[in-house]
Amino acid sequence: MAMNAKEEIDKLTSELKVYQDKYYKEGISLVSDSEYDRLSDRLSMLEKEHPELMHPDSPTLRVGSDLTNDFPEIRHTIPVLSLDKAYSDEAVLDFFSKSIDKEGGLLSFAAEEKIDGISMVLYYEGGLLVRAVTRGNGEIGNDVTANIMTIHTVPLKLSEPVDIAVRGEVFIRKADFEHFNESESDDAKKAANPRNLTAGAVRRQKSSEARLVPMDIFCYEGFWSNKDETPPDHISILSTLKKLGFQINPHLSFFADTKADAEEKLKAAGLEGDAYAFSEIDEYIKRKTAERASLPYEIDGLVFKINELDVREHFGYTEHHPRWAIAYKFESPQAEAKLLGITVQVGRTGRITPVAEITATKLGGSTIKRATLHNQEYINELELAIGDTVSISKRGDVIPAVEAVIEKNNDGNTTYKLPDSCPCCGSRIVQIGGLQYCQNYDCPDQVKGRISFFASSDQMDIEGLGPKTVAVLYDAGILKSIPDIYSADFSKAIGLPGIGEKSIKALENGIKESKDRPFATVLSSLGIAEIGKKGAEMLIAGGFDDIDKLIAAAKDGSIEPFVSIAGIGETTAENIISAFRSSELLTMIEALRSSGLKLDASLDKQEKSEERIFEGQVWCITGSFRSFNPRSKALKEIEKRGGRTVSSVTSRTTHLLSGEGGGSKRADAERLGVKIVGEDEFLSLIGKKDAAAGPADGQLLLF
Ligand code: IVH
């Protein structure tokens, strides 16, 4: 008897899964390649005909597709932080002992390899992989699900139907990297190292191409939506992740008061690993350092994490990293270069930073021409002169720095001295606490820096107003201050270098949108020394929920109302008071107030509570839009209102936002009965219809 479609899909699905598992996990081929391809093609075809019968963890998802990925921006539901760093055994031991002192009891620590790859967060709902998101800025990353699904060690379906977010590192093994690079005939396209190849693969436009890159993953942290399901400590999390189907790095080490304690804990969690006493930390680091070169993948350090979860919760986080973990970094690679010259930069606070201009040098996979020199004191310590041969390293593997002079120059140059006057405005440079400052508030470089900071993506996030554009607009006399952003006539800028009609339209849109940013964002964007993101939130939570309250308290002059807020000390309070007394800041605030910016937190709260109109809905978008350029803006509007966004139309999608020229997604939506919403309907749903109906396109497209 012939099988019906459901039976055939079910059968092919389970058969292919067995073949894939055998092949990718054990290296065994149970069928010939051509037979495998035939079965896989047949399943794909049936799934296209009957999308409703497709399994959410179908093996065809591993194959990837030729559709173009658009990597929508997604807000993380867990904090995706990085780690504080240590560069010596002592620093790690210090972390152990300080943690133990602080907790006043015995703790244990897991030690893992710090995989040098790309950080990824895998989100599962009901045990199914719903999305894989890059780290991004820690709050918002890119949805790269289609590409990550091609990694066979990323489970599509877990052994239990849990809601969980899992952090892991996507990487490529050294041997796979060599092999892959050899097959690339175009030298220019060869990746410099496994990490770069991984980074590129994660963002390949087509998942059918990402599939060809031999990526792998190790998972190391799990966050359950239901707190009651969370295991009590890190090693039980690891063993649970393993049972759920994730790949865990087998090279685990564990530290406790005695080696026997450590052994016992590992055993209780059912994990294999090396047990150590705290006193053996130097031995452990030596051993791992020696082992590093022979590992099959690249690591750039070791990670030490407090094992007990209740203690982790108690220790909490700083703005950037957890207080319950530390990364020991292996010494960074160094390279030699010649110092050609030193340029002097003026930052938004007036701080003067010398920057070394060096001969182009390859280091850690990239070519560098500049490196930071921090300040005059640092130059003095190095006795650095132009023409010297220096060693360069990548500190924390990101910003290159000049580390030492290897050979002095033969040109008679002596230790470099910063100029006495600001290279930008000519005013005298002043020394404050070992650092150099230009104290002219109107110094063009400072003004440009302040405007760029205000508009940057971490602050007011004004589309189209990056540092280059700011400089061009400032030099043309169009944008001279932060408040000018909201009053300048930008049409005058059309025709300036790199600025066309389109970019001005995008800029104007970006500016208009930025007016909706909440008070906390406006406050931190002002660039007041002590008020960063956290500071702004602390002040607001502490009762300063309106800028006038800050101004009044500063006028009053008492530090009391400030220091009574946890986390604000006397110096910070004094600095805030003097900032809010300065005429420059007060003038700026008044100008921003008349432009309609939110200077009162109660205004943003109201908006939030009435807005969750897309709660429970799953939206996909296609085509281009008049009012949302780039398209990610439309995604933000959906997410702001509680909706989820996905990159492809599946049976679980509830709405398709369809713009001009949408392609296959529209056909998918029609076939699956997904509600299709046009731009105008969408604008009226979110209450922005009038704002967007431009005179030129008054015609409404109704769906
Ligand atoms: S734990 C909240 N464990 O290193 C703690 N990170 O600077 C999160 N990494 O962004 C990090 N191997 O991409 C942790 N075994 C490991 C890791 C690891 C590599 C990366 C990760 C993170 C960065 C920390």
Side-chain angles (χ1 to χ4, degrees):
M1 195 181 71
M3 274 186 282
N4 65 28
K6 179 169 182 330
E7 285 165 347
E8 193 178 356
I9 286 179
D10 290 352
K11 181 164 178 286
L12 285 168
T13 302
S14 59
E15 252 176 49
L16 284 164
K17 258 194 222 164
V18 172
Y19 299 154
Q20 279 189 350
D21 276 0
K22 272 280 172 210
Y23 182 75
Y24 285 98
K25 296 191 180 147
E26 296 171 46
I28 301 170
S29 301
L30 292 177
V31 284
S32 68
D33 287 2
S34 60
E35 174 65 0
Y36 182 90
D37 290 344
R38 192 183 66 80
L39 297 172
S40 176
D41 290 346
R42 170 82 187 145
L43 178 57
S44 289
M45 198 194 81
L46 287 168
E47 285 174 341
K48 278 212 183 81
E49 278 171 18
H50 309 275
E52 72 289 353
L53 296 178
M54 176 171 176
H55 290 223
D57 59 337
S58 169
T60 56
L61 291 166
R62 301 285 194 199
V63 180
S65 88
D66 287 335
L67 297 176
T68 307
N69 278 316
D70 53 4
F71 310 130
E73 287 182 340
I74 303 282
R75 184 168 287 280
H76 285 291
T77 55
I78 57 163
V80 188
L81 303 173
S82 59
L83 295 166
D84 202 4
K85 295 177 190 80
Y87 292 92
S88 65
D89 317 359
E90 292 83 41
V92 177
L93 204 52
D94 197 45
F95 166 71
F96 282 178
S97 54
K98 283 208 174 119
S99 304
I100 291 167
D101 284 354
K102 185 166 163 186
E103 191 54 24
L106 283 184
L107 298 180
S108 51
F109 298 83
E112 296 167 2
E113 291 167 337
K114 188 169 182 299
I115 306 295
D116 192 9
I118 301 297
S119 199
M120 195 61 57
V121 188
L122 306 173
Y123 289 96
Y124 290 80
E125 286 171 17
L128 291 177
L129 176 66
V130 288
R131 55 176 63 170
V133 184
T134 60
R135 178 171 190 280
N137 64 4
E139 284 177 33
I140 295 173
N142 287 105
D143 184 335
V144 290
T145 315
N147 288 347
I148 297 304
M149 277 182 163
T150 68
I151 304 174
H152 281 265
T153 37
V154 170
L156 302 179
K157 186 178 175 185
L158 306 178
S159 62
E160 303 273 341
V162 287
D163 289 352
I164 190 178
V166 171
R167 285 194 66 177
E169 201 81 356
V170 178
F171 66 98
I172 295 173
R173 283 164 209 276
K174 291 175 190 168
D176 290 336
F177 167 75
E178 297 301 338
H179 189 241
F180 187 88
N181 245 11
E182 269 164 28
S183 65
E184 174 62 70
S185 50
D186 183 349
D187 265 358
K189 283 196 186 153
K190 282 192 202 271
N193 54 45
R195 187 176 188 283
N196 285 2
L197 180 59
T198 313
V202 162
R203 290 179 177 277
R204 280 283 157 92
Q205 289 283 317
K206 292 179 180 169
S207 50
S208 54
E209 284 173 12
R211 177 181 65 115
L212 305 175
V213 187
M215 292 184 278
D216 204 340
I217 192 167
F218 279 141
C219 295
Y220 47 73
E221 294 285 332
F223 303 82
W224 277 257
S225 298
N226 179 355
K227 292 273 172 289
D228 298 340
E229 291 175 18
T230 310
D233 54 38
H234 184 68
I235 43 176
S236 339
I237 289 186
L238 292 180
S239 76
T240 310
L241 289 179
K242 206 168 151 182
K243 283 183 202 129
L244 286 171
F246 295 98
Q247 177 169 250
I248 306 299
N249 184 345
H251 296 166
L252 174 71
S253 298
F254 198 68
F255 283 80
D257 200 31
T258 64
K259 193 176 159 125
D261 279 356
E263 256 163 13
E264 201 176 305
K265 286 216 162 84
L266 275 172
K267 210 168 145 201
L271 280 180
E272 303 266 328
D274 296 324
Y276 289 90
F278 295 139
S279 54
E280 295 170 310
I281 186 76
D282 53 340
E283 183 193 319
Y284 167 75
I285 290 180
K286 265 200 205 92
R287 193 180 127 193
K288 293 303 289 187
T289 310
E291 220 177 83
R292 182 183 180 194
S294 57
L295 286 174
Y297 41 79
E298 305 244 19
I299 65 174
D300 57 347
L302 304 165
V303 186
F304 297 88
K305 304 170 173 178
I306 293 182
N307 185 41
E308 293 75 15
L309 251 46
D310 52 343
V311 180
R312 284 192 183 185
E313 206 158 296
H314 181 202
F315 277 37
Y317 300 86
T318 70
E319 206 159 334
H320 307 289
H321 48 252
R323 291 203 176 86
W324 44 260
I326 199 161
Y328 169 87
K329 297 276 285 184
F330 293 125
E331 236 173 89
S332 325
Q334 306 234 337
E336 267 181 40
K338 194 169 164 177
L339 181 66
L340 301 173
I342 291 177
T343 48
V344 180
Q345 289 179 347
V346 188
R348 68 182 167 92
T349 60
R351 163 104 182 261
I352 305 275
T353 319
V355 176
E357 307 288 341
I358 54 172
T359 44
T361 304
K362 257 193 121 110
L363 181 61
S366 52
T367 300
I368 52 172
K369 290 181 182 159
R370 320 184 78 201
T372 181
L373 289 167
H374 308 289
N375 51 49
Q376 182 68 56
E377 211 168 274
Y378 190 75
I379 295 174
N380 295 348
E381 277 167 17
L382 298 174
E383 300 186 313
L384 181 67
I386 295 185
D388 288 357
T389 302
V390 293
S391 67
I392 310 287
S393 83
K394 278 197 177 176
R395 289 262 179 103
D397 283 344
V398 192
I399 306 165
V402 174
E403 295 291 346
V405 173
I406 297 173
E407 211 180 305
K408 292 301 289 177
N409 68 85
N410 292 324
D411 318 328
N413 293 338
T414 55
T415 302
Y416 174 84
K417 282 263 160 311
L418 277 171
D420 294 332
S421 54
C422 172
C424 174
C425 71
S427 59
R428 266 191 69 79
I429 287 177
V430 183
Q431 299 277 336
I432 305 173
L435 301 175
Q436 292 75 41
Y437 288 88
C438 156
Q439 285 199 309
N440 170 15
Y441 187 78
D442 297 322
C443 168
D445 277 356
Q446 283 193 48
V447 180
K448 290 176 196 172
R450 284 198 297 270
I451 301 175
S452 303
F453 175 77
F454 182 88
S456 65
S457 59
D458 266 355
Q459 302 295 332
M460 295 295 276
D461 191 15
I462 302 179
E463 200 77 50
L465 199 55
K468 275 198 190 130
T469 311
V470 168
V472 172
L473 293 171
Y474 179 94
D475 293 340
I478 295 170
L479 183 58
K480 287 290 201 188
S481 68
I482 290 174
D484 280 357
I485 296 174
Y486 297 98
S487 58
D489 177 4
F490 290 105
S491 64
K492 287 196 224 147
I494 296 171
L496 289 173
I499 300 185
E501 219 164 298
K502 250 194 173 160
S503 46
I504 289 303
K505 212 169 166 165
L507 172 61
E508 284 171 345
N509 247 327
I511 292 174
K512 196 165 89 199
E513 259 194 16
S514 75
K515 290 191 179 178
D516 289 335
R517 305 279 181 260
F519 175 49
T521 307
V522 179
L523 187 56
S524 69
S525 304
L526 298 175
I528 299 164
E530 306 277 354
I531 311 184
K533 285 233 144 121
K534 254 267 168 61
E537 256 145 35
M538 280 194 310
L539 283 170
I540 292 171
F544 290 104
D545 52 2
D546 178 337
I547 206 139
D548 290 322
K549 293 188 184 162
L550 281 164
I551 297 173
K555 202 165 170 200
D556 185 51
S558 159
I559 58 166
E560 252 337 287
F562 295 100
V563 292
S564 67
I565 300 172
I568 297 188
E570 277 182 26
T571 330
T572 307
E574 275 158 13
N575 287 339
I576 295 175
I577 290 174
S578 82
F580 277 97
R581 282 182 166 189
S582 76
S583 59
E584 286 99 349
L585 182 63
L586 293 174
T587 316
M588 176 154 92
I589 290 171
E590 288 325 307
L592 293 176
R593 191 197 302 276
S594 40
S595 304
L597 258 58
K598 294 205 170 121
L599 301 177
D600 176 350
S602 67
L603 297 173
D604 28 88
K605 267 182 222 134
Q606 287 163 5
E607 212 173 69
K608 263 184 207 151
S609 57
E610 54 185 42
E611 266 185 355
R612 298 192 66 83
I613 52 173
F614 296 149
E615 189 85 64
Q617 301 180 354
V618 183
W619 287 72
C620 181
I621 87 175
T622 184
S624 59
F625 299 90
R626 283 169 282 130
S627 316
F628 306 104
N629 189 11
R631 273 177 16 172
S632 55
K633 286 189 180 167
L635 295 171
K636 277 191 196 157
E637 297 291 343
I638 295 168
E639 286 168 6
K640 252 197 342 215
R641 291 170 177 77
R644 276 219 296 129
T645 54
V646 291
S647 56
S648 58
V649 176
T650 69
S651 56
R652 276 181 285 175
T653 313
T654 60
H655 293 73
L656 177 71
L657 174 57
S658 174
E660 282 285 302
S664 62
K665 285 183 187 169
R666 223 188 129 97
D668 288 343
E670 271 162 13
R671 203 187 49 230
L672 292 168
V674 171
K675 183 167 170 51
I676 299 174
V677 177
E679 180 166 4
D680 287 295
E681 187 185 350
F682 183 70
L683 285 168
S684 69
L685 280 175
I686 62 171
K688 289 201 175 168
K689 184 156 187 175
D690 300 338
D697 44 40
Q699 192 191 354
L700 294 184
L701 299 155
L702 292 173
F703 291 89

